[in-house]
Amino acid sequence: MSLFQYRLPEVHNMLNSKAVSVSELTESSLSAIADHDSKVHAFLTLNEEGARASARALDDKLASGAARGLLFGLPAGIKDNIVTKGLRTTCASQFLTNFQPIYDATVVSKLRQADAVTIGKLNMDEFAMGGSNENSSFGAVRNPWDLERVPGGSSGGSAAAVAAGEVFFTLGSDTGGSIRQPASYCGVVGLKPTYGLVSRYGLVAFASSLDQIGPITRTVEDSAYVLQAIAGYDAQDSTSAKVDIPDYLSSLTGDIAGLRIAVPKEYIGEGVDASVRESVLSALKVLEGLGAVWEEVSLPHTEYAVAAYYLLSSSEASSNLARFDGVRYGVRVDEGGGLLDLYHNSRSRGFGPEVKRRIMLGTYALSSGYYDAYYLKAQKVRTLIKQDFDEVFKKYDVVIGPTAPTTAFKLGSQTEDPLTMYLNDILTIPVSLAGIPAVSVPCGFAEGLPVGLQIIGKEFDESTVLRVAHAFEQHTEHHKARPQL
Amino acid sequence: MSITVKDVQHVAKLARLQLSPEEEGTFTEQMNAILQYAEKLNELDTENVQPTTHVLQVSNVMRDDVVKESLSQEEALLNAPEEEDGHFKVPAVLE
């Protein structure tokens, strides 16, 4: 019997009644990884000894009757671009193969304060650049629903590990859809919080104005628990928001009567698979049945989002990745040619093709003579995209559409064509550019592959996003389906 | 506007990347495709639009000037590929 079929409160009840111990929970996670991970390849580094030691300490805490954290005893996986003190953090790059962080990211400290157990570090696209997890320099993750297909990216390992029942929850990072799109492909719940709600201190930066850490879980309720534990102002992150953190759990009322839903015609039109559209329309019927009303709206600048995103994110990446020079950490290739050669050789040997492509694109977009035409233009288009959402949110509570235009595609089918790959993110990127929250929840299957429903909310209105997602989940069974591994 | 292999070589130099001739060819092709796609943005008139550099209204974030412990030399050098006498070692930059 797998412990992972239970909801978080159920696990806590089992711990309270001594039906299970934290050590047993941890062993169950490690044995699920032993059973499945040779097929799925979600983990890059296992923290077996550390996890067992944490579990023993938590069992002692349980026995002593001391106050327990919100995520007490739950086995968790962490995307490998979030630094963990003393536990190898590679960003799935050859550049950082042996990198041992000397501090914990704020989210990692918060998970520890909440009494979660860190099982290990999860595979991803190198430096979080990609939409399929095929850019990991340690080998791709496979989708637990069909091992010939991608799990999505860049948090592919984070989504696949939850779908495969290897850990109770994971943390991912989302820059243009990297939590929501793999959650959609793997049939799990992925939440990208409002930019600034969760500290980015200790997240290896890809595109600083877009990156945001968030939870990937089996249920919306679990997502609310994890968000509760990791949200909040952090003085270590200068982009952290000083906002009051509501009680996300109390927002899970199941009541959405009178809720106003906007469905952008651009999100269900051309380019979206018929089967995906059908699942989303059925989901809207469920929400209608619960008393919500929906109307079609327009987000007219949607078609410009992907171009703006790739210019902005690549520009920021080229700047952020300048620090990888082979001097202070990471790969160093010294062939005796002097300092500049050391930089060139270390970076060329350390970075994979997708990372190089984006650094090149970003360096070009920021270079003299092209800044206004590309970078500044993209920032202005970002304003228009944000204004589209502002306008719609004057009248509606949430925006709903598919998370991705298709279900998971086959490994290798798009690797030769970066532009097509980039277009897979067309439905998640506008949200990232606007900095607003969105969750992907399972809403059906097309030819045996999961389809994700994206629920988008106003700035810092995670409560409404979670309330709608939870109400939907309570009246459907999609999230209960499990892949056969 | 299209970019040439020469442009790619120049950008690679700025980005401190050494590209193989094969990579130069591939990147020229792929960057042209992506930049051509980016031309799409020119369909929009953004003359009077303010750029969004940051989605939140935060500026000039300061923290209190408090004396605290910094990293130890040992920690700072922990991941150094090469070190000597408590310093990061680099090839000679002066003749």
Side-chain angles (χ1 to χ4, degrees), chain A residues 184 328-329 418 451 455 461 472:
Chain A
S184 170
R328 285 149 301 144
Y329 41 74
V451 178
I455 302 166
D461 194 14
F472 175 72

Side-chain angles (χ1 to χ4, degrees), chain A residues 304 332 348 357 377 383, chain B residues 18 30 44 50 52 89:
Chain A
Y304 301 98
R332 178 188 182 102
S348 304
R357 177 160 49 236
K377 180 80 184 180
T383 304
Chain B
Q18 184 84 52
Q30 290 176 340
L44 295 171
Q50 288 296 314
T52 295
K89 192 176 176 186

Side-chain angles (χ1 to χ4, degrees), chain B residues 41-92:
Chain B
L41 300 184
N42 293 329
E43 292 169 10
L44 295 171
D45 177 7
T46 51
E47 184 69 27
N48 297 312
V49 179
Q50 288 296 314
T52 295
T53 50
H54 201 279
V55 286
L56 299 180
Q57 299 297 313
V58 289
S59 59
N60 297 334
V61 176
M62 305 286 186
R63 65 168 175 243
D64 293 336
D65 187 12
V66 181
V67 177
K68 56 179 186 179
E69 288 276 307
S70 60
L71 290 179
S72 67
Q73 195 175 47
E74 193 187 321
E75 284 173 314
L77 291 167
L78 189 74
N79 284 287
E82 257 195 283
E83 53 150 323
E84 195 173 300
D85 300 334
H87 299 282
F88 294 104
K89 192 176 176 186
V90 294

Side-chain angles (χ1 to χ4, degrees), chain A residues 52-344:
Chain A
R52 287 188 173 117
S54 304
R56 282 194 297 273
L58 291 171
D59 277 328
D60 290 344
K61 194 171 185 175
L62 189 64
S64 75
R68 282 169 267 159
L70 202 58
L71 305 174
F72 187 86
L74 300 173
I78 296 171
K79 188 175 180 180
D80 209 23
N81 58 350
I82 298 172
V83 300
T84 39
K85 189 174 182 178
L87 184 62
R88 187 177 82 131
T89 298
T90 70
C91 292
S93 178
Q94 294 300 328
F95 214 115
L96 295 174
T97 308
N98 298 312
F99 181 64
Q100 299 281 341
I102 50 175
Y103 68 98
D104 276 328
T106 298
V107 286
V108 173
S109 307
K110 286 190 173 224
L111 287 191
R112 194 173 326 101
Q113 283 158 21
D115 291 334
V117 176
T118 300
I119 298 290
K121 306 298 292 289
L122 295 155
N123 205 348
M124 55 184 280
D125 281 302
E126 185 179 2
F127 286 104
M129 297 176 192
S132 66
N133 214 127
E134 291 164 295
N135 297 327
S136 165
S137 69
F138 300 109
V141 175
R142 288 166 180 267
N143 191 316
W145 291 93
D146 177 350
L147 297 172
E148 295 307 309
R149 289 177 190 268
V150 303
S154 65
S155 309
S158 300
V162 173
E166 296 181 339
V167 276
F168 199 85
F169 74 91
T170 59
L171 294 184
S173 71
D174 191 310
T175 304
S178 286
I179 287 174
R180 292 161 284 157
Q181 184 251 29
S184 170
Y185 284 3
C186 292
V188 292
V189 178
L191 172 71
K192 184 202 89 79
T194 306
Y195 182 83
L197 183 71
V198 175
S199 170
R200 291 186 302 111
Y201 180 71
L203 171 70
V204 179
F206 158 18
S208 311
S209 81
L210 298 157
D211 297 339
Q212 186 60 203
I213 295 170
I216 297 182
T217 56
R218 201 93 39 73
T219 67
V220 175
E221 186 183 36
D222 292 354
S223 186
Y225 270 97
V226 181
L227 182 66
Q228 198 77 54
I230 62 173
Y233 175 71
D234 179 14
Q236 308 254 50
D237 172 3
S238 63
T239 58
S240 180
K242 279 187 180 164
V243 290
D244 291 332
I245 304 301
D247 180 355
Y248 296 116
L249 289 160
S250 69
S251 68
L252 308 181
T253 58
D255 178 15
I256 56 162
L259 184 96
R260 293 157 303 171
I261 300 171
V263 179
K265 63 177 193 216
E266 293 81 5
Y267 284 28
I268 50 170
E270 206 185 324
V272 175
D273 271 7
S275 54
V276 170
R277 190 183 305 123
E278 212 172 285
S279 293
V280 169
L281 293 175
S282 313
L284 287 167
K285 283 210 181 87
V286 172
L287 297 172
E288 252 179 350
L290 296 170
V293 288
W294 70 272
E295 285 176 332
E296 197 167 286
V297 298
S298 177
L299 294 171
H301 297 95
T302 302
E303 63 175 304
Y304 301 98
V306 173
Y309 170 81
Y310 277 95
L311 291 173
L312 293 172
S313 63
S314 301
S315 297
E316 292 183 22
S318 75
S319 170
N320 277 322
L321 270 60
R323 72 183 61 140
F324 293 89
D325 55 11
V327 174
R328 285 149 301 144
Y329 41 74
V331 159
R332 178 188 182 102
V333 182
D334 187 358
E335 293 173 342
L339 189 59
L340 265 182
D341 279 355
L342 180 130
Y343 294 158
H344 281 114

Side-chain angles (χ1 to χ4, degrees), chain A residues 34-68:
Chain A
D35 289 345
H36 305 315
D37 216 54
S38 58
K39 286 180 265 182
V40 177
H41 197 212
F43 276 87
L44 290 179
T45 304
L46 275 182
N47 178 38
E48 290 186 65
E49 272 180 44
R52 287 188 173 117
S54 304
R56 282 194 297 273
L58 291 171
D59 277 328
D60 290 344
K61 194 171 185 175
L62 189 64
S64 75
R68 282 169 267 159

